[in-house]
Amino acid sequence: MTPTNLFAAVPKRSARAPTAPFLPMSRAEMDQLGWDQCDVILVTGDAYIDHPSFGMALVGRLLEAHGYRVGIISQPDWLSVDPFRALGKPRLYFGITAGNMDSMVNRYTADRKPRSDDAYTPNGEANKRPDRAVTVYAQRAREAYPGTPIIIGSIEASLRRIAHYDYWSDKVRKSVLTESKADLLIFGNAERALVDMTARLAAGENIKDIKDLRGTAFMVPLGWMPGEDWGVHNSTRVDVPGRIDPHPDPYAMAKEDKKECASENAVPEQTVKPIRIMTREERQAMAKEKHNRTVVRLPSYDVVKDDPVMYAHASRVFHLESNPGNARALVQQHGDRDVWMNPPPLPLAMDEMDNVYDMAYARGPHPSYGDANIPAWEMIRFSVNIMRGCFGGCTFCSITEHEGRIIQSRSEPSILREIEHIRDKTKGFTGIISDLGGPTANMYRLTCKSKEIEETCRRLSCVYPSICVNLNTNHNPLIKLYRKAREIKGVKKILIQSGLRYDLAVRSPEYVKELVTHHVGGLLKIAPEHTETNVLSKMMKPGIGAYDEFKAMFEKYSIEAGKKQYLIPYFIAAHPGTTDEDMLNLALWLKKNNFRLDQVQTFMPTPMAMASAMYHSRRNPLHKVTDDSEVVETPRTQKQRTAHKAFLRYYDPKNWPILRDTLRRMGRGDLIGTGERHLIPPYVVGEENFKVSQGKRAMPMLAPGADKRGGKGVPVPVRGGKPNALTGSLTARATVETKARPSILDTIKVKKAAPAPAKQGGRPAAGVKAGAKAGPAPRGRK
């Protein structure tokens, strides 16, 4: 299917386009523009930054380009209805978004503790958005102007469009449509749906009648169908779960009716139909037409909330029906109504992507914020988003569920123009572009070799368990882009900070050489996530061997370039399928390779991710789900999750007590000691005051038998006759030398980084709009 170009109907010059560089946030700004009313009002949980990496700006500029007047209500006080009346009643609708991040991920840590800051708020101030912001904002907007259509979107709405496991309440919740009472939900990269819907509302069509747009979901009466020619398939026809009902007994007696002729047992009269000879093309067209008019019914909310196996089954079917080329509509019963989801939106073509990012953005925060520091803006202000989507399919990540697995890339000229805009228009530019990337740094223009194969494929990942033979892995367009970007006058350095898919990178040694020679600023972040095959298989990540292969290339080309550069690996603790032994093996690998991780994270189940389905159901939806299928044991207690995270920072004295308990419980007390083969030291009085030493491992050398809680451990003097630091005050640092080599991170000096936004789904959350996605350029790990 070839859709109409997104910008085909854009007027050359809109008579209603604002003359100010920002969309209005107050009635005073509307008055300056001569507006008496907004056509569309966007409500967002983020500060308003007019940049394509921030969803409300992208949506606003897109609608503005089509001739609509758009106002923005940013971070309103949800305790009152008055802020939602600040711009008056919109002529067409309210567009509701939680912001670039899911509000629950934004506000709470993986331990369900409130965060102390918010990267998308001026000065990082916390508590400027409510829990489940989409629902709260939608309810307040409805209260402000009853009868005005409410359209919800963003990653929060997108990932909650069906019944989903909610980590923060530890239960399966209904679709956000049922809670928000919204008229329409736009999910994924839904620019087309947004523009089409707005045009139809402007033409006088009722929002209740708009039910044919891809990338939209809505509530309908139970059993509703778009037409009489539509059919329904139960999800069990896609993937059979659990127990199968027995076949009817062929020897059972037919029903007997002594009063009348048993007509219902009689063989019906056959209808003779003429035989029609069809060509192969005609048969395929008929099958495709039937496919496109079939809806897949998922298990109802009442079923999945109580049956973990059926929840995992529903998750598997949902993901199998995610390719825009062959996905069917989905429907799920919620009480006496259905949630209907049309197929995902079709990806944008390259010229459409260019038009989206080439619009007239002010490229900065709204003036009302003054000189306030907005951490998310500081993070992306000098970066460029070159693509969308990710075909990696990592189970813990939300990108694929939201943006899709088909890569949508911008053209080279468009990207180079944006670099020039940054150079000329962005305050504080010093010649360094902080990132050319997206959800993944090196998936730019990587697509399936065959459009026909792409549209029929039902793989969950193009690179797992192995890289698909039909995937184009040519990095030459990206290499060419890097080289042209470096030649732009005024650009001194271009860094790559988006997550790198290293199993793809090793397919192109020339790319690795280009990256290492010109685009690494001393450290390159990379995400093997784990070392153990058992865990990696639940993540859909490559084995640690792929990391070793990339590491060898990285070190080779760093030496050739005459640079001292280092890989910084990221790992996840307590991921579904992870045992204590798996985390111990990872800790031993880190010690062997002399890695001392600073920022580490514990797995956080986000709505609709496959790893979240594993966490909740203890089943593996990567394979057919039955009552007897593989059980995925998952760390769920706070004590075990804390222990798993502690393994990643085994060198930190604060983690030694829980690691000692864990190792002894595992029967691995032999790893407690002061030798090279030991992971952590024995207990010593006062260790609770130790701090991680700078340049040396914080492992004091103790005499045999000194591992006594509260006992009188006698420290042994270190080499050279210097007194042990522990013989003095209990507050002394543990600076005793050991034979362990200094960590590589202790040998390099780096500038203090700007505070990074909180992470979504295991990575910095990409930006989202009301139904579409455009994330901050330094994206997550791959």
Side-chain angles (χ1 to χ4, degrees):
M1 177 181 178
T2 304
T4 303
N5 188 287
L6 179 64
F7 288 83
V10 173
K12 294 187 179 297
R13 182 181 297 275
S14 172
R16 297 189 295 171
T19 57
F22 290 88
L23 300 174
M25 289 179 63
S26 66
R27 288 305 300 248
E29 292 172 86
M30 289 174 59
D31 292 340
Q32 290 177 358
L33 296 170
W35 294 3
D36 58 348
Q37 185 180 31
C38 291
D39 296 320
V40 178
I41 294 178
L42 303 178
V43 182
T44 176
D46 292 343
Y48 170 34
I49 298 176
D50 200 67
H51 185 279
S53 287
F54 292 82
M56 83 299 292
L58 194 153
V59 168
R61 293 303 186 185
L62 176 65
L63 293 175
E64 174 194 75
H66 283 78
Y68 301 105
R69 297 177 176 179
V70 183
I72 289 182
I73 297 177
S74 172
Q75 297 187 317
D77 177 6
W78 65 93
L79 300 178
S80 169
V81 74
D82 293 336
F84 294 82
R85 294 172 176 154
L87 302 183
K89 180 180 180 179
R91 185 174 69 92
L92 298 178
Y93 62 86
F94 275 108
I96 308 294
T97 164
N100 277 19
M101 288 184 67
D102 182 287
S103 61
M104 301 302 288
V105 176
N106 180 281
R107 298 197 69 207
Y108 298 95
T109 69
D111 296 330
R112 300 189 180 100
K113 297 178 180 178
R115 298 186 189 275
S116 59
D117 56 10
D118 182 342
Y120 293 90
T121 300
N123 296 319
E125 188 177 350
N127 301 317
K128 284 296 184 178
R129 73 186 80 212
D131 289 353
R132 314 186 201 287
V134 164
T135 294
V136 175
Y137 289 162
Q139 292 172 348
R140 280 299 194 205
R142 180 78 74 195
E143 183 182 354
Y145 295 105
T148 301
I150 304 293
I151 316 300
I152 60 175
S154 77
I155 196 166
E156 177 167 315
S158 186
L159 298 187
R160 287 174 161 78
R161 59 188 184 266
I162 62 173
H164 55 280
Y165 173 70
D166 183 81
Y167 172 64
W168 299 272
S169 58
D170 194 24
K171 66 179 183 181
V172 175
R173 296 180 70 99
K174 294 181 179 180
S175 165
V176 68
L177 277 165
T178 66
E179 298 179 341
S180 67
K181 309 299 182 183
D183 296 292
L184 193 71
L185 184 156
I186 302 183
F187 60 84
N189 299 294
E191 284 97 340
R192 284 199 190 90
L194 192 69
V195 170
D196 290 348
M197 177 208 64
T198 307
R200 290 166 66 172
L201 289 176
E205 191 168 350
N206 191 304
I207 185 64
K208 301 296 183 183
D209 297 329
I210 301 179
K211 291 181 167 59
D212 57 347
L213 295 176
R214 296 183 70 109
T216 61
F218 41 85
M219 300 291 293
V220 292
L222 190 64
W224 176 88
M225 289 286 177
E228 294 181 357
D229 55 346
W230 274 70
V232 59
H233 279 181
N234 191 284
S235 63
T236 56
R237 297 183 65 172
V238 179
D239 189 71
V240 180
R243 181 178 61 84
I244 301 177
D245 293 331
H247 293 290
D249 183 357
Y251 300 103
M253 297 297 290
K255 183 186 292 185
E256 181 180 3
D257 190 335
K258 298 179 180 180
K259 295 181 180 180
E260 303 288 345
C261 176
S263 58
E264 59 185 274
N265 291 315
V267 177
E269 183 179 351
Q270 294 184 353
T271 303
V272 179
K273 294 182 179 180
I275 297 175
R276 179 187 174 192
I277 306 299
M278 293 188 296
T279 65
R280 179 172 178 268
E281 289 73 18
E282 288 176 326
R283 291 196 304 271
Q284 289 179 336
M286 182 178 291
K288 186 173 183 179
E289 181 66 18
K290 182 179 179 181
H291 177 92
N292 292 339
R293 292 183 179 276
T294 300
V295 61
V296 176
R297 181 167 286 280
L298 299 174
S300 70
Y301 164 74
D302 287 331
V303 170
V304 298
K305 74 181 179 66
D306 297 323
D307 189 336
V309 172
M310 293 304 291
Y311 181 90
H313 159 74
S315 174
R316 175 169 171 78
V317 172
F318 174 88
H319 286 84
L320 288 173
E321 296 290 341
S322 61
N323 182 347
N326 59 54
R328 291 168 288 189
L330 299 173
V331 65
Q332 185 178 50
Q333 181 180 352
H334 283 63
D336 59 354
R337 304 191 75 195
D338 280 339
V339 171
W340 182 284
M341 292 153 282
N342 283 325
L346 296 172
L348 298 186
M350 182 173 286
D351 62 333
E352 293 175 307
M353 284 285 287
D354 288 351
N355 286 330
V356 166
Y357 286 90
D358 286 347
M359 292 185 295
Y361 299 99
R363 296 188 168 276
H366 191 273
S368 62
Y369 301 123
D371 296 328
N373 174 67
I374 305 177
W377 164 241
E378 298 301 326
M379 181 182 179
I380 63 92
R381 67 190 302 180
F382 304 125
S383 66
V384 180
N385 195 342
I386 66 175
M387 46 77 69
R388 287 182 185 171
C390 179
F391 49 68
C394 299
T395 61
F396 52 81
C397 178
S398 303
I399 292 174
T400 299
E401 284 88 350
H402 186 64
E403 290 195 349
R405 60 176 52 89
I406 296 177
I407 302 303
Q408 304 162 73
S409 301
R410 296 170 62 184
S411 71
E412 186 180 275
S414 174
I415 295 168
L416 298 179
R417 281 197 300 272
E418 183 166 355
I419 294 176
E420 292 174 344
H421 285 317
I422 292 174
R423 178 196 63 191
D424 300 336
K425 301 178 181 179
T426 304
K427 183 179 179 180
F429 181 65
T430 60
I432 299 176
I433 297 295
S434 61
D435 189 29
L436 287 184
T440 305
N442 60 320
M443 286 187 184
Y444 178 70
R445 300 187 70 170
L446 300 190
T447 58
C448 188
K449 295 177 181 178
S450 166
K451 191 68 176 176
E452 183 179 359
I453 293 175
E454 178 184 84
E455 290 180 349
T456 57
C457 180
R458 293 174 71 83
R459 283 184 60 158
L460 297 176
S461 170
C462 297
V463 291
Y464 183 87
S466 61
I467 297 176
C468 179
V469 295
N470 297 308
L471 180 66
N472 165 33
T473 59
N474 181 10
H475 283 59
N476 288 341
L478 189 54
I479 295 172
K480 181 181 175 184
L481 173 64
Y482 287 175
R483 290 172 178 171
K484 287 192 175 182
R486 293 200 306 268
E487 294 173 358
I488 294 177
K489 184 178 180 181
V491 174
K492 301 176 184 177
K493 183 81 173 178
I494 293 178
L495 301 174
I496 304 301
Q497 296 190 44
S498 292
L500 187 78
R501 190 79 196 199
Y502 52 84
D503 51 345
L504 288 171
V506 296
R507 292 284 187 98
S508 176
E510 183 182 4
Y511 171 74
V512 179
K513 182 175 182 178
E514 188 80 12
L515 174 74
V516 171
T517 304
H518 300 287
H519 301 286
V520 177
L523 306 177
L524 179 67
K525 298 174 182 178
I526 197 168
E529 307 295 8
H530 217 283
T531 57
E532 304 307 292
T533 303
N534 172 56
V535 184
L536 293 170
S537 67
K538 306 300 186 299
M539 298 176 170
M540 287 212 296
K541 291 284 291 186
I544 199 65
Y547 166 82
D548 293 333
E549 185 178 358
F550 179 80
K551 182 174 181 288
M553 281 190 180
F554 181 89
E555 292 175 345
K556 172 187 174 184
Y557 294 128
S558 291
I559 292 173
E560 290 182 3
K563 297 182 176 181
K564 290 185 178 180
Q565 300 183 143
Y566 306 94
L567 289 177
I568 306 301
Y570 276 95
F571 296 93
I572 294 179
H575 190 276
T578 309
T579 64
D580 294 345
E581 287 74 19
D582 292 328
M583 290 307 301
L584 171 59
N585 289 337
L586 173 53
L588 294 173
W589 183 90
L590 292 171
K591 185 174 187 294
K592 177 182 177 181
N593 288 276
N594 200 38
F595 281 122
R596 294 172 58 169
L597 306 181
D598 184 17
Q599 295 182 343
V600 299
Q601 67 176 43
T602 308
F603 169 72
M604 179 191 291
T606 53
M608 241 160 54
M610 295 196 83
S612 301
M614 296 181 198
Y615 178 92
H616 170 63
S617 69
R618 294 180 171 86
R619 292 294 189 275
N620 186 358
L622 298 178
H623 306 288
K624 179 177 154 181
V625 180
T626 70
D627 288 325
D628 300 325
S629 62
E630 175 189 7
V631 175
V632 180
E633 292 299 339
T634 302
R636 297 178 66 90
T637 66
Q638 188 58 49
K639 182 177 181 180
Q640 188 178 20
R641 286 167 63 85
T642 301
H644 281 206
K645 186 177 181 179
F647 272 119
L648 295 178
R649 288 175 56 87
Y650 63 90
Y651 61 88
D652 189 339
K654 294 180 180 179
N655 293 326
W656 293 344
I658 190 170
L659 288 179
R660 289 192 195 103
D661 290 342
T662 302
L663 289 173
R664 291 190 180 106
R665 179 174 49 79
M666 295 170 61
R668 295 306 310 270
D670 59 300
L671 293 175
I672 302 172
T674 57
E676 287 295 303
R677 67 182 183 84
H678 298 120
L679 181 65
I680 57 173
Y683 175 76
V684 65
V685 175
E687 71 173 27
E688 60 274 8
N689 297 312
F690 294 172
K691 297 181 180 179
V692 178
S693 63
Q694 300 298 317
K696 305 295 181 183
R697 288 187 181 274
M699 288 192 180
M701 300 176 65
L702 304 179
D707 182 20
K708 299 178 181 178
R709 293 187 179 277
K712 298 180 179 180
V714 182
V716 176
V718 298
R719 305 188 288 278
K722 295 181 181 180
N724 191 306
L726 303 182
T727 59
S729 169
L730 293 180
T731 61
R733 284 192 173 199
T735 56
V736 183
E737 293 185 4
T738 72
K739 294 182 180 179
R741 294 177 291 114
S743 167
I744 59 171
L745 300 186
D746 295 326
T747 65
I748 47 184
K749 296 180 179 179
V750 295
K751 293 181 179 179
K752 186 176 181 181
K759 298 181 179 181
Q760 165 114 3
R763 59 206 66 247
V768 214
K769 47 188 171 295
K773 170 110 167 26
R779 302 302 182 289
R781 329 169 333 221
K782 290 290 157 194

